Amino acid sequence: MGLPQAITEYTIEDIYALPDGQRAELIDGQMYMMAAPSRTHQRICLALLRKIADYIDEKGGLCEVDIAPFAVFLNADDKTYVEPDISVICDKSKLNDKGCNGAPDWIIEIVSTGSRQMDYYRKLFKYHMTGVREYWIVDEQKDCITVYNFENEDIKDYSFSDTVKAGIYNDLEIDFSKINIE
């Protein structure tokens, strides 16, 4: 009987050591390589970013919105590093030149073919456990926006013909029927 094989546990230093242009995320010491996003993915991301950033600017809000690649260090260790598509951070003390230390208030992930399991399972669990207040999974292929409001333990599904209200704001609504994904 052979000896059990050692399981490689990666750190943020391994992420930083990747070749230029190679992106990966790290969750609890396991590295997950990332493929380049599709054009549709980027169009959705940009449309949502514009709506959220415009809202924050119009209201004179204190929150900051960031777009991937933007480093989020969810744990106070070197074993978890993610790059959410969109992050909204309202506690500026979490921000430094490297990214966000701790959970953003609101995260949006736009599902890609290669990210489906990450977005629906690994990241969902990790975001919930680390204190993200609200998490949206935007899945154009399924015509579905799933909104997890972790503060209220509430989950709602919407379609791309619906208007979706942001839970962390009283009056921000995003009309997905007006998002041009063509």
Side-chain angles (χ1 to χ4, degrees):
M1 183 157 126
L3 294 173
Q5 291 188 353
I7 297 173
T8 302
E9 193 169 87
Y10 295 98
T11 68
I12 291 168
E13 291 306 315
D14 296 306
I15 295 286
Y16 291 149
L18 291 171
D20 285 346
Q22 178 65 59
R23 291 178 51 212
E25 293 180 305
L26 188 66
I27 297 180
D28 297 326
Q30 296 301 303
M31 190 179 304
Y32 302 92
M33 304 314 280
M34 299 170 66
S38 69
R39 183 172 166 265
T40 300
H41 176 283
Q42 293 300 84
R43 290 176 67 87
I44 294 169
C45 196
L46 181 59
L48 293 173
L49 177 75
R50 281 182 176 156
K51 295 203 179 290
I52 296 165
D54 287 349
Y55 173 85
I56 292 170
D57 288 347
E58 287 170 12
K59 297 292 183 175
L62 300 176
C63 300
E64 176 175 309
V65 61
D66 290 288
I67 191 169
F70 176 75
V72 174
F73 308 94
L74 289 170
N75 297 342
D77 63 21
D78 65 348
K79 306 259 187 280
T80 301
Y81 165 101
V82 293
E83 293 182 359
D85 291 314
I86 297 174
S87 302
V88 177
I89 301 103
C90 299
D91 179 354
K92 300 265 179 128
S93 71
K94 292 181 180 181
L95 298 169
N96 63 30
D97 281 343
K98 289 188 175 188
C100 177
N101 293 296
D105 294 271
W106 180 16
I107 289 178
I108 300 174
E109 295 283 8
I110 294 100
V111 176
S112 299
T113 304
S115 74
R116 189 168 299 284
Q117 187 173 12
M118 284 290 287
D119 296 338
Y120 278 101
Y121 300 104
R122 286 184 184 93
K123 286 184 175 180
L124 170 63
F125 176 77
K126 196 66 179 175
Y127 293 159
H128 185 230
M129 298 310 293
T130 57
V132 172
R133 294 169 52 198
E134 184 169 354
Y135 176 41
W136 289 17
I137 300 174
V138 178
D139 193 335
E140 183 263 336
Q141 289 180 348
K142 289 185 173 183
D143 184 34
C144 185
I145 300 96
T146 303
V147 174
Y148 294 88
N149 184 324
F150 295 132
E151 289 183 315
N152 299 331
E153 296 297 325
D154 188 39
I155 304 168
K156 290 185 180 164
D157 287 321
Y158 300 89
S159 76
F160 273 74
S161 61
D162 291 328
T163 298
V164 182
K165 184 186 177 312
I168 71 165
Y169 295 110
N170 291 330
D171 58 350
L172 172 59
E173 295 182 340
I174 298 175
D175 184 350
F176 274 80
S177 70
K178 293 183 179 175
I179 292 178
N180 181 8
I181 56 175
E182 299 297 319

